[in-house]
């Protein structure tokens, strides 16, 4: 192992390499290394034509994280799980300047292990009957993306998708401390992603592993149980030139409650205001409350707040998990810290979390709903010139026993008034989200319900179920007029149930719903 400067690390990257990065949204990405690679490219136009491989989206929805790679010529191809955190990458795909693939986050996390073990790839049902299925788009996002990587295969009479392995020439990972022998620990990281599998994949591909760390310590001083990547896999270690490039998350320098160094106590978090997002979160909370000690998952955006609502209501009869690895505790409500949990009981690697998800371990999941159609299909991945990608959405939505989709009824300027047990629309959104047909097939409603998944769709003014392959209105908010406030702002072919109920009035009052 050799200790080098970040600029020196950037000069190691050669044209045409496949580079893999660790990280999950705003945490765990080796920011200093990505900064150095971008600076070198802008200065020297080197390296060129890289393939970037990553599982979870990494960035701040601006320029940080994987966004540093978002320059024409720097990249030839991207294979990624989520794209929304690094919009520069999506822009290159939309402009047809790179080959772009969107695969399920969990599949890529598990693929690292397959590459490390010299296996041909991953065989999985995850992604069937979505845009990732080669009978649709094959996960391709741009016109110049012509190579068919994902294959439809049949094993013992059942359909699966095959995702191929690829050699990794350089792994860029991050930990907290490195000792003089290159052993990497993650004691101050919010989670440890797949740093071991990524490092093994690069090493066993004949590539190099570069680790960004905050501290360098003497050999033999790290607790072996805290070491996530053994020194035998690490070629180079870098300490950032700028300490801010090793914040725990893009939103927080260091939060000890994410690591178990300190436990948060009840009352530390303020009660959040009642708005459209919280109305949706409160109604979703009732679904959590119905179950006996369920294990659940929260997606990014509006779903991430369900844990906060549960904490406000004093409800503790559940366990929440996040794809990044935390089990238990309360997922962070800070957008730039999403993926971290306050007071986690356990933190596993990302691939192991998806093993649990893919096998049907989740009792319930709360996921975003950017666009839904009359057949219950959902789009979260692409909207015209904006590419978000699916992340872990496909893994979770196809395997959880119950899926609760959450989103506002309209978008673009929606404003509501509430607090007295009723809902009033102050400003209607400009864009309808309940449409005749989704633009991108992220979730296939009829297919998933046919596999036994129970599906619910929650907005601030209405709740829908998927009944007999049709999106069916089952609840309406107090104060809403069916025709004026709902049917006038959605696709005409939705079904209105004969037994439509009023949403619970407690959802629309400022005070706590329980207690």
């Amino acid at each position: 192992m050799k200790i080098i400067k970040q600029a020196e690390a950037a000069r190691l990257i050669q044209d045409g390499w496949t580079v893999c990065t660790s990280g999950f949204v705003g945490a765990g990405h080796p920011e200093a290394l990505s900064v150095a690679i971008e600076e070198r490219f802008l200065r020297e136009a080197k390296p060129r034509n890289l393939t970037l491989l990553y599982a979870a989206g990494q960035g701040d929805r601006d320029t940080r994280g994987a966004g540093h790679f978002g320059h024409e010529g720097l990249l030839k191809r991207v294979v990624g799980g989520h794209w929304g955190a690094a919009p520069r990458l999506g822009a290159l795909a939309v402009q047809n300047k790179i080959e772009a693939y969107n695969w399920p986050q969990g599949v890529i996390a598990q693929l690292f292990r397959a590459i490390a073990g010299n296996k041909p790839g991953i065989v999985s049902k995850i992604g069937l009957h979505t845009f990732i299925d080669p009978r649709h788009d094959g996960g391709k996002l741009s016109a110049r993306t012509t190579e068919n990587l994902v294959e439809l295969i049949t094993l013992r009479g059942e359909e699966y998708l095959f995702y191929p392995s690829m050699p990794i020439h350089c792994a860029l990972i991050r930990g907290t401390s490195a000792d003089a022998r290159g052993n990497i620990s993650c004691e101050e990281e919010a989670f440890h992603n797949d740093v071991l599998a990524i490092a093994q994949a690069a090493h066993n591909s004949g590539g190099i592993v570069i680790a960004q760390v905050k501290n360098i310590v003497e050999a033999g001083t790290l607790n072996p149980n805290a070491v996530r990547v053994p020194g035998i896999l690490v070629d180079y270690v870098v300490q950032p030139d700028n300490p801010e490039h090793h914040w725990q998350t893009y939103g927080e320098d260091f939060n000890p409650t994410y690591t178990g160094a300190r436990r948060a106590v009840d009352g530390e978090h303020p009660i959040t205001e009642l708005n459209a997002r919280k109305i949706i979160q409160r109604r979703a909370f009732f679904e959590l409350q119905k179950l006996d000690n369920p294990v659940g998952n929260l997606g990014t955006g509006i779903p991430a707040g369900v844990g906060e609502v549960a904490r406000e209501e004093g409800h503790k009869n559940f366990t929440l998990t996040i794809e990044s690895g935390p089990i238990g505790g309360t997922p962070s409500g800070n957008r730039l810290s999403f993926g971290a949990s306050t007071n986690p009981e356990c933190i596993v690697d990302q691939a192991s979390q998806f093993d649990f998800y893919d096998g049907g371990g989740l009792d319930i999941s709360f996921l975003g709903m950017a666009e839904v159609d009359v057949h219950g299909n959902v789009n979260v991945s692409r909207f015209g010139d904006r590419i978000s990608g699916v992340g872990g959405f496909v893994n979770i939505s196809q395997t959880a026993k119950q899926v609760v989709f959450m989103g506002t009824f309209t978008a673009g300027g929606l404003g509501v008034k509430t607090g007295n047990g009723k809902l009033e629309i102050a400003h209607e959104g400009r864009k309808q989200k309940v449409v005749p047909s989704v633009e991108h097939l992220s979730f296939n409603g009829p297919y998933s319900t046919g596999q036994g998944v129970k599906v619910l769709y929650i907005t601030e003014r209405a709740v829908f179920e998927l009944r007999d392959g049709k999106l069916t209105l089952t609840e309406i908010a107090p104060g809403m007029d069916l025709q004026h406030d709902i049917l006038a702002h959605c696709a005409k072919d939705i079904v209105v149930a004969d037994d439509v109920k009023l949403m619970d009035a407690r959802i629309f009052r400022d005070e706590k719903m329980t207690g």
Side-chain angles (χ1 to χ4, degrees):
M1 183 275 294
K2 184 178 180 181
I3 300 172
I4 60 176
K5 293 290 187 180
Q6 63 187 55
E8 188 178 354
R11 288 194 292 272
L12 295 171
I13 312 298
Q14 298 181 22
D15 294 352
W17 273 13
T18 294
V19 175
C20 180
T21 58
S22 69
F24 186 101
V25 189
H29 182 82
E31 182 72 9
L33 297 177
S34 294
V35 166
I37 292 169
E38 179 182 37
E39 290 176 344
R40 182 193 172 204
F41 178 79
L42 294 176
R43 184 176 61 250
E44 306 172 12
K46 290 282 188 177
R48 300 187 64 82
N49 297 320
L50 300 181
T51 292
L52 179 63
L53 174 66
Y54 63 87
Q58 300 159 27
D60 60 352
R61 300 185 187 176
D62 194 7
T63 61
R64 288 188 285 187
H68 292 295
F69 290 84
H71 297 281
E72 184 178 3
L74 175 55
L75 291 176
K76 172 188 176 183
R77 171 182 287 184
V78 174
V79 180
H82 192 271
W83 289 63
R88 283 180 171 180
L89 301 183
L92 289 176
V94 168
Q95 295 162 18
N96 205 30
K97 294 179 177 179
I98 58 172
E99 299 171 15
Y101 297 87
N102 186 196
W103 292 359
Q105 177 183 329
V107 166
I108 299 176
Q110 294 159 346
L111 186 68
F112 297 143
R113 300 189 304 200
I115 297 170
N118 196 28
K119 298 178 175 64
I122 293 290
V123 174
S124 176
K125 289 191 174 185
I126 301 302
L128 283 170
H129 302 288
T130 71
F131 76 93
I132 301 159
D133 191 315
R135 290 169 293 193
H136 292 274
D137 300 326
K140 298 189 286 287
L141 297 176
S142 65
R144 69 184 296 172
T145 310
T146 57
E147 186 176 359
N148 296 316
L149 297 182
V150 182
E151 297 178 43
L152 177 68
I153 63 174
T154 301
L155 291 175
R156 296 184 175 180
E158 294 192 51
E159 291 184 340
Y160 293 86
L161 297 181
F162 173 71
Y163 299 87
S165 292
M166 60 192 76
I168 296 174
H169 302 102
C170 179
L172 304 176
I173 63 172
R174 166 178 151 152
T176 302
S177 301
D179 71 10
R181 291 180 57 81
N183 296 300
I184 308 296
S185 63
C186 294
E187 65 271 17
E188 292 186 5
E189 307 304 310
F191 37 80
H192 39 86
N193 290 229
D194 296 300
V195 288
L196 174 58
I198 292 170
Q200 287 178 327
H203 181 273
N204 289 358
S205 296
I208 62 173
V209 176
I210 308 174
Q212 174 185 314
V213 298
K214 184 178 181 180
N215 311 307
I216 296 177
V217 299
E218 293 182 9
T221 60
L222 293 177
N223 182 332
N225 283 314
V227 171
R228 297 295 178 184
V229 182
I232 58 174
L233 301 175
V234 178
D235 298 286
Y236 302 95
V237 169
V238 172
Q239 286 181 292
D241 296 343
N242 182 346
E244 289 187 9
H245 290 161
H246 206 99
W247 275 25
Q248 188 182 42
T249 76
Y250 290 140
E252 299 171 88
D253 180 6
F254 178 65
N255 184 334
T257 68
Y258 294 159
T259 66
R262 185 176 73 82
R263 290 190 61 81
V265 298
D266 292 341
E268 283 192 33
H269 300 272
I271 303 297
T272 57
E273 67 171 319
L274 185 60
N275 53 24
R277 294 169 65 91
K278 189 170 182 178
I279 289 169
I280 298 167
Q281 291 159 354
R282 280 181 157 188
R283 175 59 186 84
F285 164 70
F286 285 150
E287 296 303 308
L288 185 69
Q289 198 176 32
K290 290 177 184 177
L291 303 176
D292 182 22
N293 199 24
V295 177
N297 163 271
L298 302 182
T300 187
I302 293 176
V306 174
E308 296 286 349
V309 168
R311 179 161 53 189
E312 286 182 10
E313 299 297 331
H315 183 68
K316 299 179 180 179
N317 185 33
F318 62 91
T319 301
L320 293 179
T321 68
I322 313 178
E323 303 99 289
S324 51
I327 297 172
T330 303
S332 174
N334 185 324
R335 178 177 66 83
L336 294 178
S337 298
F338 178 71
S341 274
T342 297
N343 298 345
E345 299 171 25
C346 174
I347 300 175
V348 301
D349 64 88
Q350 187 174 205
S352 295
Q353 193 79 295
F354 277 105
D355 289 341
F356 175 72
Y357 291 171
D358 291 356
L362 286 173
D363 297 303
I364 189 168
S365 181
F366 301 90
L367 298 171
M369 180 184 68
E371 189 179 58
V372 59
D373 70 19
V374 296
H375 302 293
N377 301 317
V378 175
N379 173 22
V380 298
S381 46
R382 183 162 191 165
F383 314 92
D385 290 342
R386 183 167 65 88
I387 295 175
S388 295
V390 287
F393 177 94
V394 176
N395 296 82
I396 296 163
S397 65
Q398 290 191 330
T399 58
K401 297 178 181 67
Q402 179 179 355
V403 178
V404 179
F405 291 112
M406 304 167 60
T408 56
F409 192 70
T410 62
L414 174 66
V416 303
K417 293 181 181 179
T418 189
N420 60 354
K422 295 182 178 181
L423 180 68
E424 178 184 346
I425 305 301
H427 303 286
E428 188 59 80
R430 297 181 297 275
K431 179 177 174 57
Q432 292 187 8
K433 294 175 65 175
V434 180
V435 297
S437 180
V438 293
E439 179 182 352
H440 216 218
L441 189 57
S442 313
F443 172 79
N444 188 314
Y447 169 72
S448 292
T449 54
Q451 303 301 305
V453 179
K454 180 182 177 182
V455 186
L456 199 67
Y457 309 80
I458 296 176
T459 75
E460 81 287 348
R461 71 187 79 174
V463 178
F464 301 86
E465 296 178 10
L466 193 56
R467 295 182 178 177
D468 299 323
K470 294 286 187 179
L471 191 68
T472 304
L473 176 68
T474 58
E475 296 179 33
I476 185 172
M480 291 290 95
D481 178 81
L482 176 61
Q483 181 61 46
H484 180 268
D485 295 311
I486 296 177
L487 298 182
H489 302 285
C490 67
K492 299 185 183 302
D493 292 333
I494 68 165
V495 175
V496 178
D498 294 332
D499 56 345
V500 174
K501 302 176 181 178
L502 283 179
M503 296 169 69
D504 196 313
R506 292 176 297 171
I507 296 171
F508 305 92
R509 297 188 178 118
D510 290 326
E511 62 268 20
K512 286 174 58 176
M513 297 185 294
T514 59

